[in-house]
């Protein structure tokens, strides 16, 4: 199982607002920034949100990120059919085992 | 533009080794850490490790220590990921991804196109 916990699936209708959660612990989300990635079917992942809530250039402002304590969320407003993809959260984890990157298990978003 | 181009698909037998390359272009190669992430069929993303292209220092995920080696060739702006003692569970798409100027950045952008490694007898 993944160190970061995401719901396996989410869904919404076009135009709706959807949120995806990412739960961790004090050694990862609680002390490091969270990044989000979008993976369209059959393609490589793409950076969607970095440093908890920053959007790279080219990412629509329909996508937003937030973090509170040991949890983070990705929100997608004005849902569109092309948003149907897998979404992953990631953060550095600083534990007794060393410093390494952990991912969530991924959330498959379906646009109904 | 910043681009990462990986080597082609590989088919290997159990116990063999595989070396995947990732050629970077469009930025100063030495200035950004490079990470390797893999994805088994139908599964999520799994971080394997990171290399500092400037001096070659590496950090590997505990799961892969002893089996993975990441190296770089600054003359060609290429990083390599070598995985030994392959088993069927290593069948996956392997991605390189550019990190930040500091090691502790998971701002992976961009990603390579992926290299499918199939381990089968």
């Amino acid at each position: 199982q993944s160190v970061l916990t995401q719901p396996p699936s989410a869904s919404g209708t076009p135009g709706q607002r959807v949120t995806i959660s990412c739960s961790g612990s004090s050694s990862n989300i609680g002390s490091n920034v969270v990044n989000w990635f979008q993976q369209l079917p059959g393609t490589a992942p793409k950076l969607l949100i970095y440093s908890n809530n920053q959007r790279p250039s080219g990412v629509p402002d329909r996508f937003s990120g937030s973090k509170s304590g040991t949890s983070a969320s990705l929100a997608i407003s004005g849902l569109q059919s092309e948003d149907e993809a897998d979404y992953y959260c990631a953060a550095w984890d600083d534990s007794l085992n060393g410093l390494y990157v952990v991912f969530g298990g991924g959330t498959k978003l379906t646009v109904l | 533009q910043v681009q990462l181009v990986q080597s082609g698909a590989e088919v290997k037998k159990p116990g063999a080794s595989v070396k995947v390359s990732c050629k970077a272009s469009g930025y100063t190669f030495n200035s950004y850490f490079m990470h390797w992430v893999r994805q088994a069929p139908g599964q999520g993303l799994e971080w394997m490790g990171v290399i500092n292209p400037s001096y070659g220092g590496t950090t590997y995920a505990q799961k892969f220590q002893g089996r993975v080696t990441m190296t770089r060739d600054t003359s060609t702006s290429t990083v390599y990921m070598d995985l030994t003692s392959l088993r069927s569970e290593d069948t996956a798409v392997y991605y390189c991804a550019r990190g930040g100027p500091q090691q502790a950045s998971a701002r992976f952008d961009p990603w390579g196109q992926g290299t499918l490694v199939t381990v089968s007898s």
Side-chain angles (χ1 to χ4, degrees), chain B residues 21-116:
Chain B
S21 68
C22 170
K23 183 173 175 60
S25 62
Y27 71 98
T28 303
F29 178 68
N30 288 355
S31 297
Y32 293 83
F33 285 75
M34 193 73 79
H35 298 254
W36 287 91
V37 176
R38 77 176 186 178
Q39 185 172 37
Q43 303 301 308
L45 303 173
E46 181 175 34
W47 183 77
M48 299 182 69
V50 58
I51 183 169
N52 180 341
S54 181
Y55 71 93
T58 54
T59 299
Y60 303 135
Q62 192 171 34
K63 175 177 179 177
F64 300 102
Q65 284 182 10
R67 281 210 304 145
V68 70
T69 303
M70 297 175 188
T71 57
R72 94 287 189 220
D73 181 345
T74 56
S75 68
T76 60
S77 299
T78 302
V79 296
Y80 300 91
M81 189 283 298
D82 199 335
L83 189 63
T84 62
S85 302
L86 290 170
R87 35 207 188 234
S88 58
E89 310 89 88
D90 294 317
T91 293
V93 176
Y94 290 76
Y95 295 101
C96 59
R98 192 188 75 164
Q102 295 88 30
Q103 175 165 331
S105 168
R107 181 181 174 176
F108 299 161
D109 183 36
W111 295 59
Q113 83 276 19
T115 297
L116 175 62

XYZ file of all heavy atoms in Angstrom, chain B residues 21-116:
750
model
N 18.325 4.652 -20.658
C 18.943 5.972 -20.763
C 17.883 7.066 -20.878
O 16.749 6.816 -21.295
C 19.889 6.035 -21.958
O 19.163 5.961 -23.166
N 18.299 8.262 -20.524
C 17.416 9.433 -20.545
C 18.262 10.630 -20.957
O 19.123 11.072 -20.189
C 16.814 9.620 -19.159
S 15.923 11.175 -18.878
N 18.046 11.123 -22.170
C 18.847 12.233 -22.698
C 18.098 13.538 -22.512
O 16.953 13.682 -22.967
C 19.173 12.015 -24.168
C 20.063 13.102 -24.756
C 20.507 12.758 -26.148
C 21.309 13.908 -26.772
N 22.522 14.231 -25.975
N 18.749 14.477 -21.856
C 18.130 15.768 -21.562
C 18.571 16.833 -22.556
O 19.705 16.804 -23.045
C 18.501 16.193 -20.141
N 17.678 17.768 -22.817
C 18.016 18.890 -23.684
C 17.164 20.097 -23.310
O 16.129 19.960 -22.665
C 17.799 18.526 -25.159
O 16.450 18.229 -25.401
N 17.640 21.287 -23.696
C 16.856 22.493 -23.488
C 17.105 23.200 -22.170
O 16.422 24.190 -21.874
N 18.055 22.711 -21.376
C 18.378 23.371 -20.107
C 19.791 22.974 -19.687
O 20.411 22.097 -20.307
C 17.367 23.007 -19.021
C 17.463 21.567 -18.519
C 18.147 21.256 -17.345
C 16.847 20.520 -19.212
C 18.231 19.953 -16.889
C 16.931 19.217 -18.768
C 17.618 18.937 -17.608
O 17.705 17.632 -17.158
N 20.290 23.606 -18.621
C 21.626 23.286 -18.117
C 21.559 21.980 -17.333
O 21.025 21.931 -16.223
C 22.157 24.425 -17.232
O 22.169 25.642 -17.988
C 23.567 24.114 -16.749
N 22.127 20.952 -17.923
C 22.000 19.586 -17.406
C 22.418 19.474 -15.945
O 21.760 18.793 -15.154
C 22.854 18.667 -18.285
C 22.895 17.227 -17.873
C 21.770 16.425 -17.972
C 24.075 16.658 -17.382
C 21.808 15.091 -17.607
C 24.124 15.332 -17.006
C 22.987 14.542 -17.118
N 23.528 20.120 -15.591
C 24.095 19.974 -14.244
C 23.275 20.660 -13.155
O 23.547 20.467 -11.968
C 25.522 20.536 -14.203
C 26.513 19.656 -14.928
O 26.159 18.570 -15.383
N 27.733 20.117 -15.056
N 22.311 21.455 -13.542
C 21.632 22.324 -12.574
C 20.386 21.717 -11.932
O 19.817 22.326 -11.019
C 21.253 23.647 -13.236
O 22.416 24.346 -13.639
N 19.956 20.573 -12.404
C 18.722 19.985 -11.891
C 18.932 18.494 -11.598
O 19.511 17.766 -12.401
C 17.574 20.124 -12.904
C 17.129 21.530 -13.136
C 17.806 22.348 -14.039
C 16.032 22.055 -12.462
C 17.410 23.659 -14.248
C 15.620 23.359 -12.677
C 16.319 24.146 -13.564
O 15.914 25.436 -13.769
N 18.408 18.060 -10.447
C 18.446 16.643 -10.111
C 17.548 15.870 -11.083
O 16.587 16.394 -11.626
C 17.961 16.433 -8.679
C 18.964 16.848 -7.634
C 19.187 18.187 -7.361
C 19.680 15.900 -6.927
C 20.117 18.579 -6.400
C 20.599 16.268 -5.962
C 20.818 17.609 -5.705
N 17.883 14.592 -11.278
C 17.078 13.733 -12.136
C 16.607 12.520 -11.333
O 17.400 11.871 -10.642
C 17.881 13.253 -13.347
C 17.011 12.617 -14.422
S 16.020 13.798 -15.338
C 17.291 14.421 -16.463
N 15.318 12.260 -11.444
C 14.707 11.164 -10.699
C 14.266 10.045 -11.648
O 14.042 10.283 -12.834
C 13.476 11.675 -9.939
C 13.778 12.718 -8.924
N 13.760 12.464 -7.567
C 14.107 14.030 -9.062
C 14.057 13.583 -6.911
N 14.275 14.548 -7.803
N 14.123 8.859 -11.083
C 13.566 7.724 -11.811
C 12.340 7.216 -11.054
O 12.388 7.030 -9.826
C 14.594 6.612 -11.970
C 15.667 6.945 -12.962
C 16.857 7.557 -12.708
C 15.625 6.706 -14.378
N 17.564 7.717 -13.873
C 16.840 7.208 -14.911
C 14.702 6.118 -15.250
C 17.141 7.125 -16.279
C 15.012 6.042 -16.602
C 16.213 6.548 -17.108
N 11.268 6.999 -11.805
C 9.987 6.553 -11.255
C 9.492 5.424 -12.146
O 9.621 5.506 -13.371
C 8.953 7.710 -11.256
C 7.589 7.212 -10.774
C 9.437 8.873 -10.407
N 8.926 4.380 -11.556
C 8.410 3.311 -12.393
C 6.928 3.079 -12.116
O 6.398 3.487 -11.076
C 9.197 2.028 -12.188
C 8.893 1.249 -10.913
C 9.665 -0.053 -10.885
N 9.280 -0.885 -9.755
C 9.784 -2.093 -9.511
N 10.738 -2.600 -10.309
N 9.371 -2.783 -8.472
N 6.281 2.433 -13.085
C 4.853 2.167 -12.990
C 4.567 0.785 -13.563
O 4.659 0.586 -14.772
C 4.059 3.249 -13.742
C 2.561 3.128 -13.605
C 1.830 4.326 -14.199
O 2.240 4.875 -15.224
N 0.754 4.758 -13.554
N 4.228 -0.148 -12.696
C 3.858 -1.492 -13.138
C 2.503 -1.432 -13.847
O 1.723 -0.490 -13.624
C 3.789 -2.434 -11.939
N 2.214 -2.402 -14.697
C 0.955 -2.381 -15.456
C -0.263 -2.229 -14.549
O -0.450 -3.000 -13.609
C 0.959 -3.738 -16.164
C 2.392 -4.105 -16.267
C 3.058 -3.566 -15.035
N -1.071 -1.209 -14.814
C -2.290 -0.981 -14.055
C -2.078 -0.501 -12.631
O -3.035 -0.425 -11.857
N -0.841 -0.160 -12.291
C -0.538 0.241 -10.922
C -0.145 1.721 -10.846
O -0.144 2.419 -11.859
C 0.606 -0.619 -10.367
C 0.334 -2.108 -10.389
C -0.900 -2.462 -9.573
O -1.020 -2.083 -8.395
N -1.823 -3.184 -10.186
N 0.188 2.168 -9.630
C 0.548 3.560 -9.420
C 2.026 3.823 -9.637
O 2.773 2.973 -10.122
N 2.439 5.022 -9.262
C 3.812 5.464 -9.454
C 4.676 5.081 -8.255
O 4.225 5.157 -7.107
C 3.849 6.980 -9.657
C 3.002 7.516 -10.819
C 2.979 9.034 -10.810
C 3.530 6.996 -12.146
N 5.905 4.690 -8.530
C 6.836 4.249 -7.478
C 8.187 4.918 -7.708
O 8.822 4.717 -8.745
C 6.974 2.728 -7.490
C 7.895 2.180 -6.419
C 7.903 0.663 -6.401
O 7.783 0.041 -7.482
O 8.055 0.094 -5.296
N 8.646 5.686 -6.731
C 9.931 6.383 -6.836
C 11.069 5.422 -6.596
O 11.050 4.633 -5.644
C 9.967 7.505 -5.804
C 11.189 8.370 -5.837
C 11.474 9.358 -6.731
C 12.278 8.346 -4.903
N 12.672 9.953 -6.419
C 13.189 9.353 -5.300
C 12.571 7.584 -3.778
C 14.362 9.614 -4.606
C 13.736 7.840 -3.071
C 14.630 8.848 -3.499
N 12.092 5.504 -7.475
C 13.230 4.602 -7.377
C 14.474 5.280 -6.822
O 15.280 4.651 -6.125
C 13.561 4.027 -8.754
C 12.433 3.222 -9.365
S 12.887 2.533 -10.951
C 14.105 1.304 -10.458
N 14.644 6.541 -7.158
C 15.842 7.214 -6.681
C 16.126 8.467 -7.465
O 15.377 8.853 -8.369
N 17.237 9.113 -7.117
C 17.586 10.404 -7.713
C 19.104 10.496 -7.866
O 19.859 9.930 -7.071
C 17.042 11.559 -6.843
C 17.584 11.480 -5.423
C 17.352 12.921 -7.461
N 19.528 11.224 -8.900
C 20.945 11.470 -9.124
C 21.187 12.965 -9.292
O 20.366 13.676 -9.876
C 21.474 10.697 -10.358
C 22.990 10.917 -10.524
C 20.706 11.047 -11.631
C 23.635 9.989 -11.540
N 22.284 13.414 -8.738
C 22.724 14.786 -8.924
C 23.658 14.800 -10.131
O 24.788 14.313 -10.041
C 23.462 15.277 -7.674
C 23.940 16.704 -7.789
O 24.055 17.238 -8.897
N 24.210 17.319 -6.663
N 23.227 15.318 -11.269
C 24.059 15.263 -12.471
C 25.363 16.041 -12.336
O 26.307 15.789 -13.081
C 23.169 15.884 -13.554
C 21.787 15.735 -13.046
C 21.898 15.899 -11.561
N 25.419 16.949 -11.394
C 26.606 17.782 -11.248
C 27.820 16.973 -10.803
O 28.900 17.073 -11.397
C 26.332 18.915 -10.264
O 27.461 19.744 -10.134
N 27.647 16.139 -9.762
C 28.788 15.358 -9.304
C 28.499 13.865 -9.213
O 29.355 13.079 -8.838
C 29.292 15.873 -7.952
C 28.391 15.596 -6.779
C 28.558 14.449 -6.001
C 27.379 16.481 -6.421
C 27.741 14.184 -4.911
C 26.554 16.222 -5.332
C 26.739 15.083 -4.586
O 25.923 14.826 -3.514
N 27.271 13.454 -9.574
C 26.960 12.030 -9.640
C 26.451 11.407 -8.363
O 26.224 10.193 -8.327
N 26.278 12.196 -7.314
C 25.758 11.651 -6.073
C 24.350 11.092 -6.248
O 23.563 11.621 -7.035
N 24.063 10.002 -5.537
C 22.772 9.343 -5.702
C 22.114 9.054 -4.359
O 22.778 8.930 -3.324
C 22.933 8.002 -6.446
O 23.902 7.206 -5.754
C 23.361 8.212 -7.890
N 20.794 8.940 -4.397
C 19.990 8.451 -3.281
C 18.984 7.476 -3.867
O 18.275 7.822 -4.812
C 19.247 9.586 -2.558
O 20.189 10.513 -2.018
C 18.392 9.025 -1.430
N 18.961 6.267 -3.322
C 18.068 5.240 -3.834
C 16.998 4.901 -2.804
O 17.241 4.923 -1.592
C 18.844 3.967 -4.169
C 19.969 4.158 -5.166
C 21.221 3.585 -4.959
C 19.778 4.908 -6.325
C 22.255 3.743 -5.871
C 20.804 5.081 -7.239
C 22.042 4.498 -7.007
O 23.057 4.673 -7.913
N 15.799 4.556 -3.292
C 14.764 4.043 -2.420
C 15.265 2.743 -1.795
O 15.951 1.948 -2.453
C 13.481 3.797 -3.199
N 14.915 2.550 -0.544
C 15.401 1.390 0.201
C 15.083 0.085 -0.536
O 15.889 -0.836 -0.568
C 14.770 1.385 1.591
C 15.399 0.405 2.564
C 14.881 0.587 3.976
O 13.720 0.927 4.194
N 15.735 0.369 4.961
N 13.926 0.038 -1.171
C 13.482 -1.178 -1.857
C 14.451 -1.607 -2.959
O 14.572 -2.792 -3.256
C 12.093 -0.930 -2.462
C 11.543 -2.053 -3.312
C 10.138 -1.738 -3.802
C 9.603 -2.857 -4.669
N 8.197 -2.587 -5.100
N 15.132 -0.643 -3.572
C 15.974 -0.946 -4.722
C 17.465 -0.941 -4.405
O 18.280 -1.245 -5.278
C 15.687 0.051 -5.849
C 14.264 0.023 -6.311
C 13.356 1.000 -5.913
C 13.803 -0.994 -7.129
C 12.038 0.969 -6.325
C 12.488 -1.047 -7.545
C 11.599 -0.063 -7.139
N 17.822 -0.584 -3.187
C 19.241 -0.530 -2.838
C 19.894 -1.895 -3.032
O 19.365 -2.917 -2.626
C 19.410 -0.032 -1.402
C 19.207 1.464 -1.289
C 19.404 2.001 0.119
O 19.868 1.278 0.998
N 19.048 3.245 0.338
N 21.047 -1.879 -3.704
C 21.755 -3.110 -4.010
C 21.451 -3.638 -5.395
O 22.178 -4.477 -5.923
N 20.352 -3.164 -5.998
C 19.969 -3.630 -7.336
C 19.986 -2.522 -8.377
O 20.002 -2.791 -9.564
C 18.570 -4.243 -7.314
C 18.467 -5.634 -6.791
C 17.310 -6.388 -7.450
N 16.025 -5.715 -7.313
C 15.090 -5.733 -8.254
N 15.296 -6.347 -9.409
N 13.928 -5.126 -8.037
N 19.930 -1.272 -7.938
C 19.847 -0.165 -8.891
C 21.111 0.692 -8.820
O 21.695 0.874 -7.746
C 18.598 0.706 -8.624
C 18.738 1.490 -7.327
C 18.320 1.636 -9.791
N 21.516 1.179 -9.973
C 22.633 2.115 -10.060
C 22.255 3.212 -11.052
O 21.852 2.909 -12.182
C 23.919 1.427 -10.538
O 24.246 0.344 -9.660
C 25.085 2.417 -10.541
N 22.361 4.439 -10.613
C 22.080 5.582 -11.493
C 23.386 6.306 -11.764
O 24.142 6.610 -10.831
C 21.058 6.508 -10.844
C 19.719 5.842 -10.638
S 18.529 6.870 -9.755
C 17.210 5.664 -9.495
N 23.642 6.584 -13.019
C 24.864 7.260 -13.425
C 24.521 8.354 -14.414
O 23.377 8.473 -14.853
C 25.857 6.279 -14.065
O 25.208 5.628 -15.190
C 26.307 5.209 -13.075
N 25.535 9.166 -14.747
C 25.288 10.206 -15.733
C 26.535 10.405 -16.577
O 27.646 10.078 -16.180
C 24.836 11.512 -15.065
C 25.927 12.544 -14.755
C 26.794 12.117 -13.594
N 27.688 13.184 -13.175
C 28.947 13.013 -12.811
N 29.488 11.791 -12.803
N 29.689 14.042 -12.435
N 26.312 10.959 -17.776
C 27.382 11.325 -18.692
C 27.166 12.790 -19.027
O 26.263 13.119 -19.812
C 27.332 10.448 -19.950
C 28.437 10.766 -20.933
O 29.073 11.829 -20.818
O 28.674 9.945 -21.836
N 27.945 13.649 -18.424
C 27.736 15.077 -18.630
C 28.073 15.516 -20.054
O 27.557 16.523 -20.533
C 28.563 15.899 -17.627
O 29.941 15.532 -17.756
C 28.112 15.633 -16.194
N 28.915 14.750 -20.748
C 29.289 15.150 -22.107
C 28.126 15.010 -23.085
O 28.089 15.676 -24.117
C 30.484 14.315 -22.599
O 30.117 12.964 -22.792
N 27.171 14.140 -22.745
C 26.015 13.937 -23.620
C 24.709 14.294 -22.929
O 23.631 14.066 -23.477
C 25.941 12.471 -24.087
O 25.813 11.631 -22.933
C 27.165 12.078 -24.889
N 24.773 14.846 -21.724
C 23.566 15.224 -20.958
C 22.603 14.050 -20.818
O 21.391 14.181 -21.040
C 22.864 16.421 -21.619
O 23.709 17.537 -21.655
N 23.161 12.918 -20.480
C 22.362 11.688 -20.386
C 22.520 11.059 -19.006
O 23.623 11.011 -18.465
C 22.791 10.681 -21.464
O 22.648 11.284 -22.754
C 21.936 9.423 -21.398
N 21.420 10.616 -18.453
C 21.453 9.834 -17.219
C 21.034 8.404 -17.546
O 20.301 8.166 -18.512
C 20.558 10.428 -16.114
C 21.063 11.804 -15.695
C 19.116 10.496 -16.546
N 21.525 7.483 -16.720
C 21.250 6.069 -16.929
C 20.729 5.447 -15.641
O 21.117 5.841 -14.541
C 22.531 5.330 -17.350
C 23.150 5.839 -18.628
C 24.108 6.847 -18.604
C 22.774 5.307 -19.860
C 24.681 7.316 -19.778
C 23.341 5.770 -21.041
C 24.293 6.774 -20.989
O 24.859 7.239 -22.152
N 19.851 4.469 -15.806
C 19.340 3.687 -14.685
C 19.569 2.216 -15.008
O 19.044 1.705 -15.997
C 17.850 3.983 -14.467
C 17.251 3.391 -13.192
S 16.902 1.643 -13.270
C 15.688 1.632 -14.608
N 20.375 1.574 -14.166
C 20.737 0.169 -14.343
C 20.070 -0.640 -13.239
O 20.275 -0.355 -12.050
C 22.256 0.048 -14.264
C 22.776 -1.242 -14.870
O 22.007 -2.220 -14.914
O 23.942 -1.275 -15.301
N 19.260 -1.614 -13.617
C 18.572 -2.456 -12.641
C 18.991 -3.905 -12.879
O 18.867 -4.408 -13.998
C 17.054 -2.307 -12.750
C 16.216 -2.969 -11.658
C 16.514 -2.365 -10.289
C 14.721 -2.828 -11.978
N 19.494 -4.560 -11.831
C 20.020 -5.925 -11.965
C 19.077 -6.952 -11.338
O 18.076 -6.600 -10.710
C 21.403 -6.026 -11.296
O 21.250 -5.736 -9.894
C 22.386 -5.026 -11.896
N 19.423 -8.208 -11.529
C 18.666 -9.334 -10.949
C 17.175 -9.178 -11.195
O 16.352 -9.254 -10.272
C 18.942 -9.449 -9.436
O 20.320 -9.611 -9.196
N 16.821 -8.951 -12.448
C 15.424 -8.681 -12.793
C 14.527 -9.869 -12.484
O 14.911 -11.032 -12.655
C 15.323 -8.321 -14.274
C 15.916 -6.957 -14.667
C 15.986 -6.825 -16.184
C 15.117 -5.813 -14.073
N 13.324 -9.549 -12.033
C 12.298 -10.555 -11.814
C 11.016 -10.086 -12.462
O 10.911 -8.937 -12.876
C 12.121 -10.821 -10.327
C 12.301 -9.633 -9.438
C 12.760 -10.081 -8.054
N 12.783 -8.979 -7.090
C 13.847 -8.662 -6.378
N 14.981 -9.345 -6.517
N 13.806 -7.670 -5.498
N 10.029 -10.945 -12.545
C 8.795 -10.601 -13.259
C 8.137 -9.351 -12.669
O 7.513 -8.571 -13.399
C 7.822 -11.775 -13.233
O 7.516 -12.145 -11.900
N 8.282 -9.154 -11.378
C 7.658 -7.988 -10.732
C 8.298 -6.660 -11.163
O 7.765 -5.590 -10.847
C 7.755 -8.077 -9.208
C 7.304 -9.385 -8.597
C 8.419 -10.396 -8.504
O 9.152 -10.394 -7.488
O 8.550 -11.200 -9.457
N 9.426 -6.729 -11.852
C 10.068 -5.516 -12.350
C 9.504 -5.078 -13.703
O 9.909 -4.030 -14.226
C 11.577 -5.724 -12.474
C 12.254 -5.920 -11.116
O 11.899 -5.178 -10.182
O 13.104 -6.819 -11.006
N 8.601 -5.857 -14.262
C 7.935 -5.451 -15.504
C 7.160 -4.168 -15.243
O 6.270 -4.127 -14.386
C 6.981 -6.555 -15.994
O 7.752 -7.688 -16.379
C 6.153 -6.066 -17.181
N 7.530 -3.120 -15.954
C 6.955 -1.800 -15.686
C 7.405 -0.822 -16.764
O 8.314 -1.105 -17.544
C 7.400 -1.280 -14.316
N 6.765 0.340 -16.762
C 7.263 1.472 -17.531
C 8.147 2.289 -16.592
O 7.730 2.635 -15.485
C 6.117 2.338 -18.072
C 6.680 3.570 -18.781
C 5.243 1.528 -19.026
N 9.351 2.568 -17.054
C 10.317 3.326 -16.268
C 10.411 4.739 -16.837
O 10.620 4.913 -18.047
C 11.676 2.633 -16.286
C 11.658 1.345 -15.486
C 11.056 0.192 -16.003
C 12.192 1.295 -14.203
C 10.996 -0.978 -15.257
C 12.151 0.122 -13.456
C 11.546 -1.003 -13.986
O 11.495 -2.163 -13.232
N 10.243 5.732 -15.959
C 10.287 7.132 -16.364
C 11.463 7.845 -15.705
O 11.740 7.620 -14.522
C 9.027 7.880 -15.921
C 7.718 7.451 -16.539
C 6.832 6.625 -15.855
C 7.348 7.911 -17.810
C 5.619 6.258 -16.409
C 6.132 7.536 -18.375
C 5.284 6.723 -17.668
O 4.071 6.365 -18.225
N 12.108 8.735 -16.446
C 12.970 9.720 -15.821
C 12.156 11.004 -15.718
O 11.251 11.252 -16.525
C 14.258 9.940 -16.604
S 14.056 10.502 -18.313
N 12.463 11.802 -14.714
C 11.740 13.053 -14.502
C 12.708 14.067 -13.910
O 13.417 13.755 -12.941
C 10.546 12.840 -13.578
N 12.723 15.262 -14.486
C 13.599 16.302 -13.961
C 13.029 16.853 -12.665
O 11.845 17.212 -12.599
C 13.775 17.435 -14.984
C 14.888 18.400 -14.627
C 14.919 19.602 -15.546
N 13.844 20.550 -15.256
C 13.824 21.797 -15.700
N 14.799 22.249 -16.467
N 12.802 22.590 -15.417
N 13.876 16.904 -11.637
C 13.455 17.487 -10.371
C 13.851 18.945 -10.309
O 13.935 19.638 -11.326
N 14.100 19.420 -9.091
C 14.466 20.817 -8.922
C 15.969 20.999 -8.794
O 16.726 20.045 -8.912
N 16.398 22.226 -8.542
C 17.817 22.488 -8.327
C 18.319 21.977 -6.981
O 19.529 21.873 -6.773
C 17.918 24.013 -8.421
C 16.545 24.508 -8.139
C 15.600 23.449 -8.600
N 17.419 21.697 -6.069
C 17.789 21.039 -4.816
C 17.243 19.622 -4.820
O 16.222 19.335 -5.445
C 17.225 21.802 -3.601
C 17.783 23.193 -3.390
C 16.988 24.224 -4.161
O 15.796 24.047 -4.386
N 17.649 25.283 -4.579
N 17.890 18.741 -4.072
C 17.450 17.346 -4.059
C 16.032 17.214 -3.542
O 15.220 16.487 -4.098
C 18.388 16.490 -3.206
C 17.892 15.046 -3.077
C 18.935 14.100 -2.564
O 20.129 14.307 -2.784
N 18.514 13.051 -1.879
N 15.719 17.938 -2.473
C 14.416 17.761 -1.821
C 13.308 18.518 -2.522
O 12.573 19.286 -1.904
C 14.502 18.164 -0.360
N 13.215 18.322 -3.819
C 12.121 18.903 -4.588
C 11.474 17.792 -5.386
O 12.150 17.092 -6.143
C 12.630 19.992 -5.537
O 11.613 20.357 -6.458
N 10.168 17.613 -5.215
C 9.448 16.607 -5.996
C 8.671 17.274 -7.121
O 7.656 16.753 -7.574
C 8.512 15.799 -5.094
N 9.178 18.443 -7.528
C 8.564 19.155 -8.652
C 9.080 18.507 -9.932
O 9.984 19.026 -10.583
C 8.914 20.649 -8.599
C 8.288 21.458 -9.725
C 8.681 22.923 -9.626
N 8.200 23.674 -10.786
C 8.336 24.979 -10.928
N 8.911 25.691 -9.988
N 7.879 25.572 -11.999
N 8.521 17.351 -10.287
C 8.987 16.581 -11.427
C 8.394 17.158 -12.709
O 7.226 16.967 -13.015
C 8.583 15.116 -11.284
C 9.166 14.432 -10.064
C 8.599 13.274 -9.577
C 10.282 14.944 -9.419
C 9.131 12.628 -8.468
C 10.814 14.310 -8.311
C 10.238 13.147 -7.831
N 9.225 17.807 -13.481
C 8.753 18.477 -14.692
C 9.905 18.835 -15.581
O 10.783 19.607 -15.160
C 7.995 19.755 -14.303
C 7.401 20.492 -15.493
O 6.953 19.798 -16.451
O 7.376 21.726 -15.468
N 9.990 18.273 -16.782
C 9.040 17.333 -17.372
C 9.405 15.888 -17.048
O 10.342 15.644 -16.280
C 9.204 17.593 -18.865
C 10.673 17.885 -18.996
C 11.049 18.640 -17.740
N 8.666 14.983 -17.667
C 8.925 13.555 -17.581
C 9.364 13.063 -18.964
O 8.973 13.635 -19.983
C 7.670 12.801 -17.169
C 7.173 13.104 -15.786
C 6.806 14.323 -15.290
C 6.961 12.171 -14.722
N 6.393 14.210 -13.985
C 6.461 12.896 -13.610
C 7.116 10.785 -14.596
C 6.148 12.296 -12.384
C 6.797 10.178 -13.382
C 6.324 10.934 -12.296
N 10.158 11.994 -18.971
C 10.444 11.338 -20.228
C 9.198 10.596 -20.716
O 8.193 10.512 -20.001
N 9.291 10.062 -21.919
C 8.125 9.407 -22.496
C 7.884 8.011 -21.914
O 6.835 7.413 -22.137
C 8.268 9.301 -24.037
C 9.088 8.136 -24.559
C 10.590 8.388 -24.582
O 11.092 9.294 -23.896
N 11.303 7.597 -25.389
N 8.853 7.506 -21.164
C 8.718 6.187 -20.559
C 9.388 5.099 -21.376
O 9.434 5.187 -22.614
N 9.903 4.104 -20.698
C 10.519 2.942 -21.333
C 9.912 1.684 -20.724
O 10.011 1.469 -19.513
C 12.043 2.924 -21.108
O 12.634 4.065 -21.735
C 12.656 1.651 -21.669
N 9.268 0.886 -21.561
C 8.669 -0.360 -21.085
C 9.747 -1.432 -20.973
O 10.431 -1.746 -21.962
C 7.563 -0.821 -22.024
C 6.929 -2.182 -21.697
C 6.264 -2.157 -20.319
C 5.926 -2.587 -22.774
